[in-house]
């Protein structure tokens, strides 16, 4: 995170290096535990790179985690939110 307000927000320092495709991100148990949970709201202080986890549920009631983050938005004055489904992996990066 490059925004000066980032010094007040705790998230894993290596979160941006997590392997990611268009739908999933691979996180270790340490990375997952290091994310603040915002399943019913959004964190204040909206700036690029701020990450959190949000609980989700599929059509049959299976719960999972999303990695969410604030990102630039094409409209001035707005902030975007990116997200991926978290797949928890061992420290070595394999499922």
């Amino acid at each position: 995170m490059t925004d000066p307000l980032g010094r007040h927000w705790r998230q894993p320092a290596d979160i941006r290096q997590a392997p990611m495709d268009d739908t999933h991100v691979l996180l270790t148990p340490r990375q997952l535990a290091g994310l603040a949970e915002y399943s019913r709201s959004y964190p204040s202080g909206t700036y690029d790179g701020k990450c959190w986890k949000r609980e989700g549920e599929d059509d049959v009631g299976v719960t999972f985690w999303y990695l969410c983050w604030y990102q630039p938005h094409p409209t001035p004055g707005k902030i975007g939110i990116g997200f991926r489904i978290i797949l928890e992996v061992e420290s070595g990066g394999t499922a």
Side-chain angles (χ1 to χ4, degrees):
M1 211 172 342
T2 58
D3 192 289
L5 292 174
R7 71 178 178 270
H8 301 294
W9 182 255
R10 299 217 185 270
Q11 67 186 37
D14 60 350
I15 197 75
R16 286 188 175 230
Q17 285 75 46
M20 181 185 302
D21 64 17
D22 291 342
T23 56
H24 298 91
V25 60
L26 303 180
L27 296 184
T28 65
R30 177 192 56 78
Q31 290 171 314
L32 184 58
L35 292 167
E37 180 185 350
Y38 281 84
S39 293
R40 307 280 183 262
S41 63
Y42 295 96
S44 61
T46 57
Y47 45 86
D48 184 29
K50 185 175 192 173
C51 297
W52 67 95
K53 63 186 172 188
R54 173 181 291 274
E55 192 173 46
E57 186 175 303
D58 68 12
D59 295 341
V60 294
V62 176
T63 60
F64 55 90
W65 289 110
Y66 284 109
L67 170 66
C68 301
W69 65 90
Y70 288 128
Q71 63 186 18
H73 191 278
T75 304
K78 292 188 176 186
I79 189 97
I81 298 176
F83 63 93
R84 298 290 186 277
I85 296 170
I86 296 172
L87 299 177
E88 193 171 350
V89 297
E90 296 302 317
S91 302
T94 58

